[in-house]
Amino acid sequence: MRAERIFTDARLATMDPACPGLGVVEHGMVAEAHGRILYAGAARAMEADEIVDCEGRWITPGLIDCHTHLVYAGDRAAEFEARLQGVSYEEIARAGGGILGTMKATRAASFDELRNAARKRMAALVAEGVTTIEVKSGYGLSPEAEYKCLDVAKSLGDVADISPTFLGAHGFPPEMERAAYVRLLCEEMIPHVAAHNLADAVDGFCEGIAFSPEEIQQVFAAATKHGLKVKLHADQLSDLGGAALAAKFLALSADHLEYTSEAGAAAMAKAGSVAVLLPGAFFTLREKQLPPVEVFRRHGVPMAVSTDLNPGTSPLFSLLLAMNMAATQFRMTVEECLLGATRHAAAALGRGDVGVLKPGAKCHLAIWDIERPAELVYRIGFNPLHQRIWSAA
Amino acid sequence: MRAERIFTDARLATMDPACPGLGVVEHGMVAEAHGRILYAGAARAMEADEIVDCEGRWITPGLIDCHTHLVYAGDRAAEFEARLQGVSYEEIARAGGGILGTMKATRAASFDELRNAARKRMAALVAEGVTTIEVKSGYGLSPEAEYKCLDVAKSLGDVADISPTFLGAHGFPPEMERAAYVRLLCEEMIPHVAAHNLADAVDGFCEGIAFSPEEIQQVFAAATKHGLKVKLHADQLSDLGGAALAAKFLALSADHLEYTSEAGAAAMAKAGSVAVLLPGAFFTLREKQLPPVEVFRRHGVPMAVSTDLNPGTSPLFSLLLAMNMAATQFRMTVEECLLGATRHAAAALGRGDVGVLKPGAKCHLAIWDIERPAELVYRIGFNPLHQRIWSAA
């Protein structure tokens, strides 16, 4: 076995599901050929074209941000400022702000404008060792604008693995009746997205202020019919049974989940759905209701952690910070946070070839200047990344 | 008037107290000579040796982090991890952790070790446009170790303005009786610090778990006698009347202040003390009691915002993030946050030559890739700094 490149004198957190915890290897190495991991484990002799001496640093899989709304135009800084001055959400909405403000700006923006703006945001994630990013549409809310956003998402794949998700069911466009938009989603947009391979999955926002469970059911039925996996913004502000609904459709993940019931968690466990927890939105919205982490543990629901990067409720550009917030706010352990940004995040995207250091996986690595993995969760606003390896192949 | 350097085509947030709000100048410029600001205001013709075209970017004063514990050895990542696994503070303390663990590591560390560790932390602040940093001792708790930490603090002055603060009254060293340590502080350490110009101010931690108001009173009396200004960690976990005590000694600032009473705020207003709010500790400790921001507003107490960078209760390395946390958690406005990291932070350090863009001030600038100042507070974990100008002179 000859490697193209070996990373020696490293400590590994392999995230290997066959090992307990983080799958730590204290005296480890990683070998790569053709962009894939040939070997990850205890140090041993191996021939290689190139040797990277890690000088005792830690290697984790490249991090995975499995829930982002990275593609949008405009920002909501002025709204943020107004809200702190006491202006209400309703007044902001009446003045054309909120999600509809972002929708208007996104519709008006060109492909290049959207791409350039997304690039800058993405750079912040990439600088922290993120190598795989889920990117949702959902600020277009028309066929043309939604497809444009998915095209932009795909175009970002020259810097990281991109997993595009169709979130047409994010809100209702002001120019249409609810039922007509649901029909448009099910009969035109989802078939188009599937036929043109624009997205890996279909997502929806199930909430009193968004889509009802019945409407989501229609959207998911259409997705399933067209061979697309589903995921769901569920139970963020109230318990509408979103987690159970997602599980019924064997969703890759249900996300947010502050109000999820024990029955919802049990259904997710049975369906194999990942619980994606989003502490940035919890923080920004000053929520009080904690997601039922202990219930997910008891039922064996894998938990992921993500930024939820979006202009309104979570303008959070750091997955390291998302982990810290998940630990501090949700009392997730260091191990849960780190698995939640690697192996479990991969599962939330239906991918088995990233988020883990094992033979056959993509050679996406993050090499860290740390003494123990806990430092990645403990520090707030500090980036100890030494090197990021992203293997395009 | 000829400038060495002019910064043209800029939008300014001057923080000039003579102007309302942030002292915005939409079509502005800054002129510098000998490390000082010659002119800051509306664009006009001026001769200069060097012209920096800001291309419409915003300029603020270089940011000021006015409350940090930057100098220490070790970190507390392992404790953070253990606490999330359910280990209690008491068990950690018994195992040699907590503040005494940091004290032991700090005492054992050499000057160079402490300096190198502080350098890395400082680099994170500097990367966000911070040009002035207050640095406290307080993890030595012996004459030798405290002076060593203050020397380390001063040695960092080649990259930013450093304002060293003597915080011998941070905790009690395990090898001494309380009264004996207070005497050591008052009769030996404070006189030494003053005589050798090791610090600009004396700080203390007034709390049930630390120094009593009576002990702080002795420390402050000694500081005042030796010509040193004072500041105080006050009313963080309970109302011991710390704010009023600080005001009695005309403190530069009282810091934390979650439990400060209206009488305490009124006393601070009268004394001209700045309220330094520390949202990173509030976040990390999951506190519920909010500092009385509205009371400070009503009494006209200037508010500053800082990281409180320390290994235990606030491992926060980003002043931008501190501003976001102050807005989100404490409902400080964008304007209050930005003044709190510039002009009011300068006041908390007793300095009038930084934190503002006006003739005579040091030419410390932060040039930002933003469309409006609110973006500096709104985003979480994103650094839009274009360029930092720090004028050593």
Side-chain angles (χ1 to χ4, degrees), chain B residues 4-5 32-37 131-132 157-162 351 353-354 360-365 388-393:
Chain B
E4 286 177 11
R5 190 160 48 160
E32 178 218 346
H34 311 298
R36 297 275 168 173
I37 292 174
T131 50
T132 301
D158 56 344
V159 177
D161 287 15
I162 300 293
R351 293 190 54 173
D353 62 338
V354 295
K362 285 201 174 187
C363 190
H364 295 343
L365 312 179
R388 172 186 181 267
I389 306 291
W390 177 69
S391 303

Side-chain angles (χ1 to χ4, degrees), chain B residues 26-96:
Chain B
E26 278 290 341
H27 300 280
M29 65 175 275
V30 174
E32 178 218 346
H34 311 298
R36 297 275 168 173
I37 292 174
L38 264 186
Y39 173 80
R44 59 186 233 191
M46 195 180 296
E47 288 189 26
D49 301 335
E50 185 189 347
I51 297 172
V52 179
D53 182 353
C54 294
E55 299 172 320
R57 293 188 182 86
W58 280 86
I59 301 181
T60 66
L63 301 185
I64 300 173
D65 198 351
C66 67
H67 182 135
T68 86
H69 306 253
L70 193 70
V71 177
Y72 59 86
D75 69 41
R76 306 242 281 268
E79 275 179 50
F80 177 84
E81 183 165 20
R83 288 211 319 272
L84 291 167
Q85 289 166 334
V87 179
S88 72
Y89 280 100
E90 288 68 28
E91 289 170 289
I92 286 167
R94 271 204 303 277

Side-chain angles (χ1 to χ4, degrees), chain A residues 14-17 35-37 60-66 131-133 160-163 339 341-365 389-391 393:
Chain A
T14 62
M15 313 297 171
D16 186 341
R36 298 274 167 172
I37 293 174
T60 67
L63 301 186
I64 301 173
D65 198 351
C66 68
T131 51
T132 301
I133 307 174
D161 288 14
I162 300 292
S163 186
L339 288 169
T342 54
R343 193 176 82 220
H344 293 166
L349 303 179
R351 292 190 55 173
D353 63 337
V354 295
V356 64
L357 305 180
K358 67 173 185 194
K362 285 201 176 187
C363 190
H364 296 343
L365 311 179
I389 306 290
W390 176 69
S391 302

Side-chain angles (χ1 to χ4, degrees), chain B residues 4-244:
Chain B
E4 286 177 11
R5 190 160 48 160
I6 56 176
F7 301 84
T8 61
D9 191 13
R11 291 179 276 181
L12 312 183
T14 63
M15 313 297 169
D16 186 342
C19 301
L22 303 178
V24 168
V25 180
E26 278 290 341
H27 300 280
M29 65 175 275
V30 174
E32 178 218 346
H34 311 298
R36 297 275 168 173
I37 292 174
L38 264 186
Y39 173 80
R44 59 186 233 191
M46 195 180 296
E47 288 189 26
D49 301 335
E50 185 189 347
I51 297 172
V52 179
D53 182 353
C54 294
E55 299 172 320
R57 293 188 182 86
W58 280 86
I59 301 181
T60 66
L63 301 185
I64 300 173
D65 198 351
C66 67
H67 182 135
T68 86
H69 306 253
L70 193 70
V71 177
Y72 59 86
D75 69 41
R76 306 242 281 268
E79 275 179 50
F80 177 84
E81 183 165 20
R83 288 211 319 272
L84 291 167
Q85 289 166 334
V87 179
S88 72
Y89 280 100
E90 288 68 28
E91 289 170 289
I92 286 167
R94 271 204 303 277
I99 190 172
L100 287 185
T102 299
M103 182 205 76
K104 275 181 219 158
T106 302
R107 284 182 176 180
S110 71
F111 178 94
D112 284 344
E113 287 165 345
L114 285 169
R115 187 167 193 260
N116 291 338
R119 270 258 185 265
K120 286 189 190 174
R121 297 170 198 137
M122 189 176 171
L125 299 177
V126 161
E128 288 187 349
V130 172
T131 50
T132 301
I133 307 174
E134 189 253 18
V135 180
K136 302 178 195 295
S137 67
Y139 292 114
L141 305 183
S142 72
E144 183 195 11
E146 286 288 305
Y147 307 155
K148 175 178 67 178
C149 290
L150 291 172
D151 285 341
V152 169
K154 281 223 171 159
S155 80
L156 301 171
D158 56 344
V159 177
D161 287 15
I162 300 293
S163 186
T165 297
F166 175 60
L167 179 57
H170 194 202
F172 289 95
E175 69 273 11
M176 289 182 81
E177 295 295 328
R178 288 179 78 101
Y181 186 60
V182 173
R183 271 200 308 280
L184 180 67
L185 283 171
C186 295
E187 295 171 13
E188 181 181 326
M189 295 169 81
I190 287 172
H192 180 96
V193 165
H196 295 82
N197 196 24
L198 295 186
D200 295 343
V202 170
D203 194 353
F205 182 22
C206 184
E207 194 62 64
I209 57 169
F211 286 71
S212 70
E214 294 69 30
E215 289 162 340
I216 291 294
Q217 179 127 351
Q218 295 175 58
V219 170
F220 279 7
T224 304
K225 180 177 153 193
H226 290 279
L228 289 166
K229 301 269 188 189
V230 301
K231 37 181 53 218
L232 189 64
H233 289 64
D235 307 334
Q236 181 186 7
L237 307 172
S238 61
D239 180 10
L240 293 182

